[in-house]
């Protein structure tokens, strides 16, 4: 097993490149990070009414987040207990139940195995369907509309896990009196380690003035403050770290909501 002790020099802010390429380190991360961390799964506005579902991931595990008939929310591994295919093959939508497209096992909104085609003819009479319910995400909590889940039954309480990161999260969530809602989202498939993406908004704010210069050009039409920041004229900001690996970087200028569209200017 690769020992990361020599690869990370926290005191001097140095990180060996192997941290981003070593397959053994990645496998350790799946076990030690993704199997234990509280992960954001979905926002209330993505699953507003019964039967609404959204598919996401915890690490490499596909996870379904589903609004139940009673208004509660459940999450479970999107993997059929028969032979491992995806129970549901679309990213989001509304359903009354989920039927695996391989051999037709169907599951209720809460992941309970509901029906096996021709079960009486093909399975023993004492076959226990309850043993083959979808694997539930054991801990699931809602925080200001955001659903978080973890595979770890013994994970610390989510408030404890967040620690002082709660302040940074609240600063983002509570920014608008009207609250937040998801109106659309982008998904990228990137041919690199997950940490490349994670570090951008958390510890590498310097890249934005160069990498996003084209965005700055467009934003100049819509939001002077944002464009000025992206151009580096106001490069002030804050960097935040806390226990359990939370991190966030942010600009400190006043947020400006665009009031004019490009076509109007
Ligand atoms: S793999 Fe799902 S029904 Fe067979």
């Amino acid at each position: 097993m690769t020992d990361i002790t020599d690869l990370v020099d926290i005191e001097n802010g140095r990180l060996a490149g192997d941290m981003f390429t070593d397959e053994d380190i990645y496998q350790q991360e799946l076990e030690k990070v993704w199997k234990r961390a509280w992960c954001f799964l979905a926002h209330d506005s993505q699953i507003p009414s019964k039967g609404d579902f959204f598919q996401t991931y915890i690490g490499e595990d596909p996870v379904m987040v589903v609004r139940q008939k009673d208004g509660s929310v459940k999450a479970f591994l999107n993997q059929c207990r028969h032979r491992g295919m995806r129970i549901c093959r679309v990213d989001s939508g509304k359903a009354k139940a989920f039927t695996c497209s391989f051999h037709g096992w169907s599951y209720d909104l809460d992941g309970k195995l509901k029906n096996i085609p021709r079960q009486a003819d093909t399975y023993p009479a004492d076959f226990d369907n309850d043993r083959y319910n979808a694997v539930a995400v054991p801990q699931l909590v809602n925080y200001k509309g955001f659903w978080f889940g973890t595979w770890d039954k013994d994970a610390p309480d989510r408030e404890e896990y967040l620690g002082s990161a709660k302040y940074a999260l609240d600063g983002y969530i509570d920014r608008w009196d009207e609250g937040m809602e998801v109106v659309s989202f982008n998904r990228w498939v990137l041919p690199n380690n997950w940490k490349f993406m994670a570090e951008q908004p958390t510890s590498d704010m310097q890249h934005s003035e160069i990498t996003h210069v084209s965005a700055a050009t467009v934003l100049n039409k819509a939001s002077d403050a944002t464009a000025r920041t992206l151009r580096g004229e106001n490069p002030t900001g804050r960097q935040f770290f806390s226990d359990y690996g939370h991190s966030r970087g942010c600009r400190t200028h006043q947020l400006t909501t665009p009031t004019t569209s490009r076509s109007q200017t």
Side-chain angles (χ1 to χ4, degrees):
M1 183 184 294
T2 307
D3 182 0
I4 67 166
T5 311
D6 296 332
L7 303 178
V8 181
D9 179 357
I10 292 177
E11 195 147 319
N12 295 300
R14 295 202 176 100
L15 200 60
D18 288 7
M19 290 299 295
F20 295 92
T21 57
D22 187 298
E23 175 64 21
D24 182 56
I25 292 175
Y26 175 61
Q27 292 303 323
Q28 289 187 55
E29 289 166 349
L30 290 179
E31 287 300 316
K32 296 178 180 176
V33 177
W34 294 102
K35 284 261 165 65
R36 298 167 61 194
W38 281 98
C39 296
F40 169 65
L41 301 180
H43 188 261
D44 267 335
S45 60
Q46 293 175 281
I47 47 172
S49 52
K50 68 179 178 185
D52 290 344
F53 66 88
F54 181 73
Q55 186 183 182
T56 184
Y57 289 88
I58 297 180
E60 291 192 359
D61 298 330
V63 168
M64 294 284 289
V65 189
V66 188
R67 182 73 66 181
Q68 303 297 297
K69 292 169 190 157
D70 64 0
S72 65
V73 166
K74 293 203 184 311
F76 52 84
L77 187 67
N78 186 12
Q79 185 175 47
C80 182
R81 296 298 305 278
H82 180 216
R83 287 178 63 184
M85 299 299 282
R86 294 282 174 94
I87 294 170
C88 176
R89 302 180 78 85
V90 296
D91 289 341
S92 61
K94 183 184 275 300
K96 290 182 177 168
F98 301 102
T99 301
C100 177
S101 59
F102 203 0
H103 310 92
W105 283 29
S106 65
Y107 298 82
D108 220 329
L109 293 179
D110 60 359
K112 186 176 168 53
L113 179 59
K114 198 174 160 187
N115 185 60
I116 297 176
R118 293 183 284 107
Q119 179 169 358
D121 300 331
T122 52
Y123 286 84
D126 61 352
F127 186 83
D128 182 4
N129 286 30
D130 284 342
R131 281 190 60 193
Y132 298 94
N133 295 331
V135 177
V137 175
Q139 292 210 67
L140 197 64
V141 296
N142 184 290
Y143 183 70
K144 297 186 177 181
F146 290 74
W147 287 97
F148 293 86
T150 175
W151 288 123
D152 186 358
K153 293 186 185 72
D154 301 318
D157 174 81
R158 204 202 62 87
E159 292 271 326
E160 178 198 333
Y161 174 80
L162 266 185
S164 56
K166 182 174 177 297
Y167 177 82
L169 186 61
D170 287 346
Y172 180 68
I173 295 175
D174 296 337
R175 194 179 294 189
W176 294 276
D177 291 339
E178 299 84 4
M180 301 180 76
E181 79 177 293
V182 176
V183 292
S184 68
F185 61 91
N186 296 319
R187 267 185 175 157
W188 295 283
V189 178
L190 303 174
N192 53 248
N193 184 274
W194 64 275
K195 292 191 294 286
F196 272 104
M197 195 61 193
E199 76 157 344
Q200 298 306 304
T202 57
S203 63
D204 178 10
M205 299 305 287
Q206 295 98 327
H207 79 278
S208 61
E209 294 143 19
I210 304 300
T211 306
H212 303 304
V213 67
S214 58
T217 305
V218 174
L219 287 167
N220 194 27
K221 307 278 188 187
S223 168
D224 281 346
T226 307
R228 266 190 281 114
T229 302
L230 284 170
R231 286 201 303 265
E233 293 170 15
N234 178 22
T236 56
R238 294 288 183 274
Q239 187 67 45
F240 163 81
F241 296 97
S242 76
D243 296 341
Y244 293 112
H246 303 299
S247 177
R248 186 186 171 201
C250 58
R251 302 293 187 190
T252 52
H253 65 75
Q254 181 72 34
L255 181 73
T256 302
T257 303
T259 53
T260 54
S261 71
R262 213 175 162 198
S263 59
Q264 291 171 315
T265 56

Coordinates of all heavy atoms in Angstrom, one line a residue, residues 80 82-85 100 102-105, ligand 1:
C80 N -29.0 -3.2 -9.4 CA -29.9 -4.3 -9.2 C -29.3 -5.5 -8.4 O -28.2 -5.8 -8.6 CB -30.4 -4.8 -10.5 SG -31.6 -6.1 -10.4
H82 N -30.1 -8.5 -8.5 CA -30.1 -9.7 -9.2 C -28.7 -10.0 -9.8 O -27.9 -10.8 -9.3 CB -31.1 -9.7 -10.3 CG -31.2 -11.0 -11.1 ND1 -31.4 -11.0 -12.4 CD2 -31.0 -12.3 -10.7 CE1 -31.4 -12.3 -12.9 NE2 -31.1 -13.1 -11.8
R83 N -28.3 -9.2 -10.8 CA -27.0 -9.4 -11.4 C -26.3 -8.1 -11.7 O -25.4 -8.0 -12.6 CB -27.1 -10.2 -12.7 CG -27.4 -11.7 -12.4 CD -27.6 -12.5 -13.6 NE -26.4 -12.6 -14.4 CZ -26.4 -13.2 -15.6 NH1 -27.4 -13.8 -16.0 NH2 -25.3 -13.2 -16.3
G84 N -26.6 -7.1 -10.9 CA -25.8 -5.9 -10.8 C -26.0 -4.8 -11.8 O -25.2 -3.8 -11.8
M85 N -27.0 -4.9 -12.7 CA -27.2 -3.8 -13.6 C -27.8 -2.6 -12.9 O -28.2 -2.7 -11.8 CB -28.2 -4.2 -14.7 CG -27.7 -5.4 -15.5 SD -26.2 -5.1 -16.4 CE -26.8 -4.2 -17.8
C100 N -35.7 -2.9 -13.5 CA -34.4 -3.2 -14.1 C -34.6 -3.7 -15.5 O -35.5 -4.6 -15.8 CB -33.6 -4.2 -13.3 SG -32.1 -4.7 -14.0
F102 N -32.8 -5.5 -17.4 CA -32.1 -6.8 -17.8 C -33.1 -8.0 -17.6 O -33.4 -8.6 -18.6 CB -30.9 -7.0 -16.9 CG -29.8 -7.9 -17.5 CD1 -30.0 -8.5 -18.8 CD2 -28.7 -8.1 -16.8 CE1 -29.0 -9.3 -19.3 CE2 -27.7 -8.9 -17.4 CZ -27.8 -9.5 -18.6
H103 N -33.6 -8.2 -16.4 CA -34.5 -9.4 -16.3 C -35.8 -9.0 -15.6 O -36.6 -9.8 -15.2 CB -33.9 -10.5 -15.4 CG -32.5 -10.9 -15.9 ND1 -31.4 -10.3 -15.4 CD2 -32.1 -11.8 -16.8 CE1 -30.3 -10.8 -16.0 NE2 -30.7 -11.7 -16.9
G104 N -36.0 -7.6 -15.4 CA -37.3 -7.1 -15.0 C -37.6 -7.1 -13.5 O -38.7 -7.0 -13.1
W105 N -36.6 -7.3 -12.7 CA -36.9 -7.1 -11.2 C -37.3 -5.7 -11.0 O -36.7 -4.7 -11.6 CB -35.6 -7.4 -10.4 CG -35.2 -8.8 -10.2 CD1 -35.5 -9.8 -11.1 CD2 -34.5 -9.4 -9.1 NE1 -35.0 -11.0 -10.6 CE2 -34.4 -10.8 -9.3 CE3 -34.0 -8.9 -7.9 CZ2 -33.8 -11.6 -8.5 CZ3 -33.4 -9.7 -7.0 CH2 -33.3 -11.1 -7.3
Ligands
LIG1 S1 -29.8 -7.7 -13.4 FE1 -31.6 -6.7 -12.8 S2 -33.2 -8.0 -13.2 FE2 -31.4 -9.1 -13.7

